[in-house]
Amino acid sequence: MSRPLLFLDVDGPLNPYAAQRERRPEGYTTIRVPLASHRLLRVWLNPAHGPALLALDYELCWATTWMAEANHWIAPVLGLPELPYVDFGAGLFAHRPDGVHWKTEPIVAYAGGRPFAWVDDEQSTEDAVFVADHHPGPALLHHVDPRIGLRAGDFTTLAEFAAGLSPT
């Protein structure tokens, strides 16, 4: 069996953007990313997350509005190689009347039936129902608090999910 996919959101899990503005979390570094508006976006990243993610038994994949830009701005700070990404295309930020997040359907399509875990700060019950109804393989939707980002317990949960998958 191939390893399960781990879909990674940046803002929330890796960049705890909702943390207290004036206090960078311990262990994090700050990068400033230029935006089209000529403003700089402050991003907090923990370089220890890269080795911790690579140690998990997953194929890593970006599932973020950053898409390909995550390989330019985020991956080097975390020590990650260039990763594939879900291209959300015209569906980026598209509202769905059923309450399903705009990322959910493209993530399920990208997974193509493979087991996956998805870490994000914007998942809902509607997303879990959609995945259960449209994805034939095991899936873990793991919510991360955007005030604190990924923590040791999150890595344990992800490792346990991957370890619990039956080889086929």
Side-chain angles (χ1 to χ4, degrees), residues 64-65 88 91-94 96 100-106 122:
T64 173
T65 58
F88 296 110
L92 189 68
F93 301 120
R96 290 179 55 124
V100 172
H101 194 280
W102 54 266
K103 288 182 183 178
T104 308
E105 188 171 6
E122 296 183 344

Side-chain angles (χ1 to χ4, degrees), residues 4-98:
L5 292 160
L6 176 54
F7 292 110
L8 296 167
D9 181 29
V10 171
D11 296 314
L14 296 173
N15 169 30
Y17 68 88
Q20 291 181 353
R21 269 182 146 16
E22 64 281 351
R23 273 190 78 173
R24 180 176 62 203
E26 187 174 332
Y28 284 73
T29 189
T30 303
I31 65 169
R32 305 254 183 230
V33 178
L35 301 175
S37 65
H38 303 291
R39 288 188 17 239
L40 293 176
L41 175 67
R42 182 218 66 212
V43 179
W44 286 331
L45 298 170
N46 186 335
H49 283 160
L53 289 165
L54 292 171
L56 294 169
D57 193 18
Y58 286 92
E59 280 183 37
L60 305 179
C61 181
W62 297 118
T64 173
T65 58
W66 292 76
M67 291 190 278
E69 289 296 304
N71 285 318
H72 178 76
W73 294 102
I74 309 303
V77 177
L78 300 180
L80 294 175
E82 185 170 318
L83 301 176
Y85 63 93
V86 178
D87 186 345
F88 296 110
L92 189 68
F93 301 120
H95 172 75
R96 290 179 55 124
D98 60 2

Side-chain angles (χ1 to χ4, degrees), residues 133-154:
D133 289 347
H134 295 89
H135 182 68
L140 170 67
L141 278 64
H142 186 70
H143 182 267
V144 176
D145 186 333
R147 293 171 297 164
I148 59 174
L150 284 170
R151 298 285 191 215
D154 300 307

